[in-house]
């Protein structure tokens, strides 16, 4: 059996190629997001952005770079009126923060415990994050 170190780059490259192919060839209009959901997602992320100001410029820059992805994902989640969410690969918690602000109960799983120190003040306690390697558990 091959080690995960050998397979990981191939798996990541294959996944990335498939994701790019899907994005390129996805039929327009297949996933439509209502304007109100987009606006609500933007407002919630504005709140998260304000919460992140105390974390330092690198975290804020990461958030700003990732924001379009967060807005899209959050707007899709807002089709629901709350509920439970499992956020796999949740660090640094920006999307989880917005989901909690929207009324969702979030359980996060992430491999990298280092990010726990980089959460916005008070959020490490509010978010239920488990740091574990799901490939080894």
């Amino acid at each position: 059996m091959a080690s995960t170190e050998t397979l990981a780059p191939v798996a990541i490259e294959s996944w990335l190629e498939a994701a790019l192919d899907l994005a390129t060839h996805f039929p327009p209009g297949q996933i439509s997001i209502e304007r109100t959901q987009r606006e609500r997602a933007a407002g919630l992320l504005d709140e998260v952005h304000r919460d992140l100001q105390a974390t330092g410029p690198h975290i804020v820059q990461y958030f700003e770079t990732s924001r379009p992805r967060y807005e899209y994902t959050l707007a899709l989640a807002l089709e629901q009126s709350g509920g439970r969410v499992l956020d796999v690969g949740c660090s640094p918690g920006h999307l989880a923060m917005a989901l909690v602000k929207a009324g969702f109960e979030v359980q996060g799983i992430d491999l990298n415990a280092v990010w726990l120190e980089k959460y916005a003040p008070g959020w490490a306690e509010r978010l239920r994050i488990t740091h574990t390697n799901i490939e080894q558990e």
Side-chain angles (χ1 to χ4, degrees):
M1 180 176 210
S3 72
T4 56
E5 290 81 19
T6 305
L7 295 175
V10 172
I12 290 171
E13 288 174 17
S14 297
W15 175 85
L16 182 57
E17 287 175 17
L20 290 172
D21 183 60
L22 177 63
T24 303
H25 297 98
F26 202 83
Q30 290 296 310
I31 298 179
S32 66
I33 300 172
E34 297 292 325
R35 180 178 172 189
T36 55
Q37 289 167 229
R38 287 193 315 264
E39 290 172 353
R40 184 167 177 227
L44 290 165
L45 289 169
D46 287 344
E47 291 179 32
V48 171
H49 188 263
R50 283 189 294 275
D51 289 350
L52 293 174
Q53 295 305 309
T55 62
H58 296 309
I59 300 299
V60 172
Q61 181 180 12
Y62 182 90
F63 172 85
E64 290 169 352
T65 301
S66 301
R67 184 171 178 140
R69 174 173 52 98
Y70 295 155
E71 282 186 15
Y72 179 77
T73 304
L74 183 58
L76 288 174
L78 292 173
E79 289 180 2
Q80 307 300 314
S81 60
R84 297 170 67 194
V85 174
L86 175 61
D87 188 353
V88 179
C90 61
S91 291
H94 303 153
L95 186 58
M97 291 168 66
L99 287 165
V100 167
K101 288 175 178 288
F104 289 86
E105 179 185 338
V106 178
Q107 174 69 50
I109 298 174
D110 201 276
L111 173 65
N112 193 346
V114 173
W115 275 102
L116 190 58
E117 300 166 8
K118 301 180 188 291
Y119 281 72
W123 278 97
E125 297 78 25
R126 279 183 78 181
L127 298 173
R128 297 180 313 152
I129 307 296
T130 302
H131 293 279
T132 187
N133 184 342
I134 60 174
E135 292 178 354
Q136 293 180 357
E137 295 296 318

